[in-house]
């Protein structure tokens, strides 16, 4: 009986090793614009879709036509992203979302984008270094920055509702555009996303 038990364990172990050896990892290249949603978490498609829709909405408001009428020689106002706060329940790559917002603004051809935050500080440090290290004809001039006419800021919030293996995750993105001279809010936008995830009953 004991020998049969040992033989069974040996056969079982060999079978597990065979299955493990046959199993492997496969990698498939995908189109970067194609959404592959493995979970209900915020992903690259959400970032790109929200940024494009919200910037299009921002540019449809009358603030930009008023600017163009008042500034015929400079019809493209400059926008600075002050910051996007992540107040959701998960880690979100806010820098990626800011880059998507910037790309959508630049692609529109109707506004200019100026760097802010750490990027602006790093550029200023480099410009100051050039003042002492580079030749006069190649050094970037000081105090020649393009000032921002408008500042964009906002937040990302999330809400989770779940019951019996079913979960609905809602994201709310709020953005506000402020006139840097008057502090007037010239545009406020909001976008909501809902994602439904259901676990297979076989896993319970």
């Amino acid at each position: 009986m004991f020998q049969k038990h040992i033989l069974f364990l040996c056969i079982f172990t060999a079978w597990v090793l065979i299955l493990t050896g046959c199993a492997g990892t496969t990698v498939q290249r995908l189109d970067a614009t194609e959404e592959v949603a493995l979970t209900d978490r915020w992903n690259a498609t959400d970032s790109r879709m929200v940024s494009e829709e919200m910037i299009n909405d921002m540019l449809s408001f009358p603030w930009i036509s008023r600017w163009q009428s008042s500034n015929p020689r400079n019809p493209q106002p400059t926008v600075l992203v002050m910051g996007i706060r992540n107040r959701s329940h998960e880690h979100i790559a806010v820098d990626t979302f800011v880059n998507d917002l910037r790309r959508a603004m630049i692609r529109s051809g109707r506004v200019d984008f100026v760097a802010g935050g750490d990027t602006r500080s790093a550029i200023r440090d480099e410009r100051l270094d050039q003042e002492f290290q580079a030749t006069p004809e190649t050094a970037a001039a000081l105090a020649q920055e393009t000032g921002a006419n408008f500042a964009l800021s906002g937040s990302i919030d999330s809400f989770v509702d779940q019951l019996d293996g079913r979960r609905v995750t809602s994201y709310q993105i709020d953005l506000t555009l402020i006139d840097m001279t008057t502090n007037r809010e010239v545009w406020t936008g909001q976008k909501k996303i809902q994602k439904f995830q259901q676990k297979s009953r076989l896993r319970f």
Side-chain angles (χ1 to χ4, degrees), residues 53-113:
E53 290 187 10
M54 297 195 77
I55 293 303
N56 286 338
D57 183 68
M58 182 184 81
L59 295 175
S60 70
F61 271 58
W63 68 272
I64 190 166
S65 59
R66 289 198 300 263
W67 170 269
Q68 292 170 341
S69 298
S70 302
N71 300 271
R73 295 185 179 181
N74 183 26
Q76 292 180 284
T78 54
V79 178
L80 168 69
V81 177
M82 296 293 294
I84 306 296
R85 292 173 293 168
N86 176 24
R87 302 189 302 199
S88 71
H89 68 289
E90 65 183 75
H91 171 73
I92 291 178
V94 174
D95 289 344
T96 300
F97 181 51
V98 171
N99 287 337
D100 286 337
L101 289 170
R102 177 181 62 186
R103 190 176 300 108
M105 282 188 283
I106 294 175
R107 186 187 295 116
S108 73
R110 302 182 65 189
V111 297
D112 289 330
F113 181 88

Side-chain angles (χ1 to χ4, degrees), residues 61-178:
F61 271 58
W63 68 272
I64 190 166
S65 59
R66 289 198 300 263
W67 170 269
Q68 292 170 341
S69 298
S70 302
N71 300 271
R73 295 185 179 181
N74 183 26
Q76 292 180 284
T78 54
V79 178
L80 168 69
V81 177
M82 296 293 294
I84 306 296
R85 292 173 293 168
N86 176 24
R87 302 189 302 199
S88 71
H89 68 289
E90 65 183 75
H91 171 73
I92 291 178
V94 174
D95 289 344
T96 300
F97 181 51
V98 171
N99 287 337
D100 286 337
L101 289 170
R102 177 181 62 186
R103 190 176 300 108
M105 282 188 283
I106 294 175
R107 186 187 295 116
S108 73
R110 302 182 65 189
V111 297
D112 289 330
F113 181 88
V114 291
D118 294 338
T119 301
R120 180 173 56 188
S121 297
I123 293 174
R124 287 175 175 174
D125 290 341
E126 171 61 23
R127 190 181 298 120
L128 185 62
D129 184 71
Q130 288 184 15
E131 182 73 11
F132 297 99
Q133 305 298 333
T135 59
E137 61 270 16
T138 61
L142 297 176
Q144 297 297 313
E145 294 183 14
T146 299
N149 306 121
F150 298 89
L152 184 68
S153 61
S155 61
I156 303 175
D157 294 273
S158 65
F159 316 91
V160 179
D161 189 18
Q162 56 185 354
L163 178 67
D164 296 336
R166 295 177 298 174
R167 181 170 66 191
V168 175
T169 303
S170 303
Y171 296 94
Q172 178 173 310
I173 302 88
D174 293 282
L175 297 178
T176 302
L177 187 68
I178 300 175

